[in-house]
Amino acid sequence: MSYASEELNQLQKEISAKNPPDVLQFCANYFNTKLALQRAHLWQTQAQAKAAGIELFSRVKSVAVDSQGLGVIPPARQPSFKSPFGDNDPHSDHSKDSHRSEPSAFKDSGSGSLFKGGFNVGSNATSQSVQDTDPNDPAARSAPAPEFKPVAKLPVSFNANRRVSVSAEALNPDKFKTDSWKPPKNNLSDEQRAELAKTLSSNFLFQQLDANSKSTVLSALMKKLFESNTEIITQGDEGDYFYIIESGTVDFYVNGTKVNTSSDGSSFGELALMYNAPRAATAVASGDVTCWALDRATFRRILLEGTFNRRIMYEDFLKDVSVLAGLTPQERSKLADALSTEIYHAGDRIVTEGEIGDKFYLIESGTCEISKKAEGVIGTISKGKYFGEVALLNDLPRQATVTAKDSVIVATLGKSGFTRLLGPALDVLRKQDPTHQ
Ligand SMILES: Nc1ncnc2c1ncn2[C@@H]1O[C@@H]2COP(=O)(O)O[C@H]2[C@H]1O
Ligand SMILES: Nc1ncnc2c1ncn2[C@@H]1O[C@@H]2COP(=O)(O)O[C@H]2[C@H]1O
C-alpha cells in the first residue's frame, strides 16, 4: 500500500469512528495535527544532530524585500506547533534567532498514555531468561549514571522552500515493513510461554486481545533487564519498544525534571510508537528493573489492526473519572471513540481566561493550576479531574486560565461531542459549575 493510501485509510477509519459533523474541518485538523507531529519530530532530530555537530538540513535563506528594494532579514517568528502550516519548518534558515525553544506540546487524535498502568502484571511474575539477540536492545547499552540536560534550544525563522518527504519516510518506518512484516519470535519454551501468559492474564489490555493477537504478543515480547540508573528511554529519541514492567521502579523525566514514577505491572513507551513522535520523556531504572518489551512494528500492527484500539484504552481511563460514573458502558464507549489526546509541559497554558472555548478536558496524568486574573491561583487539579466545561455549558469565554504545572496529558472532547456524548454527566457538570459555587 502506498504511503498516501495508508494515510487516507487511516483518515477514513478516524472519520468512521468519530462521525464528525464538519467533515472538511475534521480532515483539515487531522492532517494539521499529523503535520505538527512530523514537524515536531524534525525539530527534535535537528536539535540532536546539531548537538552532535551535524548539519542535518541545508539552509535556505529567506530574504524579504523592503519598500526600497533592499533585502531585509525577516523578523523572528515563533513557530506554532498547533498550526504546522505556519512557520515551523526545520529545513529553513533559522540562524537569526537562537532563542526558539523546542515544541512544548503536541497533540493528536488518539489516545495518550493510557497504556500506563494498564498491564497489571501480577506480583507472581516469573523471570525466565530469554535469549535476546536484538542489536537494538536497550539493555545492551552501557549504563552510566544518567545525566539530564535540557533539550537544546532551537533557532527560529521560516522558509517553506523545502518539504519533508525524506523525513516523512523516517516517520513512517512501518510502511516499509508493512508487507513483509513478521513479528519477532522470542523462542520461549511452552512452559515459559504459559508462565508469561499467566503473568499477563490479569492485565486489562492483554485481556482485550483476541487469541491470535495474544499469541503474537506472547511470542514477540522480549525480556529486558536494566541495572539501576540505566536510561531505558531517552527523551527525543525515536520510539523502538513499548515496555511492561515486570518488577522494579522506573522514573520519568521531562527536560531533566522528574514527572512520574511507575512500578510493577505498569507500562510505558507507548506515546512515541502511537504517534510516530519523539519520546516524550526519559525513563530511568531507579533500581534493577525487569521489563517485557514489545517492538514497534508489532505494537503498531496490533494497535492499528484495532484489537488494542483507542476505545479499549480510553474505556479503562474513563472508568476512573468520577464525573462520568453515571454513564452506561455503551455511552462510555461512544465517548471513548470521540476523545483526543494532548500533551503539555510545565508552564504551558492549556486554556486562557477570556478566550473562546471549544473543548472539554479530562486530566489523564499530571497537575494543572487554575488561576483568574483578578484572584490569582484558585486551585490545582490532577488525574481524573476535568476543566473547560464552563465555557461550553454557558456559551461564555473561558472563565479562568488553566496552566500545566508539570508534564500533563489530557483527553479532550470537542464542543459537539461534549453536548452529544456526556449524557447524564452534563447535569453533574452543571450542578458542580465552579462559577456558581
Ligand atoms: N508525564 C509524562 N509525560 C510524558 N511521558 C510520560 C510521562 N509519564 C510517563 N511517561 C512515559 O514516558 C514515555 C517516554 O516514551 P514515550 O513518549 O513513547 O511514552 C512515554 C510515556 O509512556
Ligand atoms: N472558580 C472557578 N471559576 C472559573 N473557572 C474555574 C473555577 N474553578 C475551576 N475552573 C475551571 O477553569 C476552567 C476555565 O475554562 P472554562 O471557563 O471553560 O471552565 C473552567 C473550569 O473548568
Side-chain angles (χ1 to χ4, degrees), residues 351 370 372 378 386-391 397-400 402 434-435:
V351 306
I370 303 173
K372 282 178 77 82
I378 55 174
Y386 61 87
F387 59 91
E389 79 292 5
V390 177
R398 295 292 189 197
Q399 296 299 298
V402 181
T435 60

Side-chain angles (χ1 to χ4, degrees), residues 26-292:
F26 183 84
C27 294
N29 293 347
Y30 176 84
F31 284 117
N32 214 1
T33 301
K34 282 221 142 183
L35 193 51
L37 285 163
Q38 188 187 70
R39 289 291 164 82
H41 178 89
L42 285 171
W43 278 111
Q44 195 91 39
T45 310
Q46 190 191 41
Q48 285 170 343
K50 199 173 173 192
I54 301 163
E55 177 80 10
L56 201 57
F57 308 118
S58 66
R59 301 217 153 131
V60 187
K61 286 219 182 306
S62 89
V63 179
V65 176
D66 68 9
S67 54
Q68 280 121 31
L70 300 170
V72 293
I73 306 235
R77 293 163 64 181
Q78 193 63 32
S80 160
F81 281 85
K82 291 201 170 125
S83 174
F85 299 124
D87 47 358
N88 59 3
D89 187 340
H91 296 95
S92 314
D93 176 9
H94 306 290
S95 55
K96 300 297 175 285
D97 182 342
S98 59
H99 302 298
R100 184 194 172 279
S101 63
E102 47 117 23
S104 62
F106 68 80
K107 56 179 195 148
D108 193 11
S109 56
S111 58
S113 68
L114 293 157
F115 281 104
K116 272 205 307 291
F119 279 88
N120 302 314
V121 182
S123 52
N124 57 342
T126 53
S127 34
Q128 310 90 329
S129 173
V130 177
Q131 191 68 32
D132 181 358
T133 53
D134 180 354
N136 296 320
D137 184 350
R141 292 175 195 160
S142 60
E147 193 188 328
F148 303 110
K149 296 188 193 120
V151 176
K153 301 283 180 201
L154 293 167
V156 73
S157 184
F158 175 64
N159 180 310
N161 289 344
R162 294 190 61 205
R163 288 287 138 202
V164 292
S165 50
V166 171
S167 305
E169 289 175 6
L171 279 171
N172 292 279
D174 301 340
K175 116 183 155 67
F176 299 108
K177 296 175 200 151
T178 305
D179 296 330
S180 56
W181 176 75
K182 283 205 181 69
K185 288 259 182 234
N186 52 20
N187 298 325
L188 291 181
S189 69
D190 286 349
E191 293 92 75
Q192 288 172 326
R193 223 178 130 80
E195 270 306 317
L196 179 57
K198 206 164 97 198
T199 300
L200 299 181
S201 64
S202 59
N203 179 268
F204 178 78
L205 283 169
F206 192 73
Q207 283 166 5
Q208 315 301 316
L209 299 179
D210 59 31
N212 268 345
S213 300
K214 262 186 194 160
S215 169
T216 306
V217 169
L218 277 177
S219 302
L221 283 169
M222 301 287 178
K223 191 165 206 165
K224 310 260 185 202
L225 306 173
F226 299 99
E227 284 176 12
S228 186
N229 275 338
T230 310
E231 239 178 59
I232 304 171
I233 284 177
T234 304
Q235 186 180 352
D237 275 4
E238 201 173 319
D240 45 8
Y241 290 97
F242 165 68
Y243 297 92
I244 304 153
I245 306 172
E246 182 183 289
S247 64
T249 302
V250 177
D251 293 331
F252 299 93
Y253 297 81
V254 173
N255 295 336
T257 305
K258 187 166 160 182
V259 293
N260 221 335
T261 295
S262 294
S263 54
D264 300 16
S266 293
S267 39
F268 61 93
E270 75 290 0
L271 294 177
L273 305 192
M274 291 173 69
Y275 301 121
N276 271 335
R279 292 293 198 186
T282 291
V284 180
S286 85
D288 288 352
V289 170
T290 303
C291 286
W292 288 95

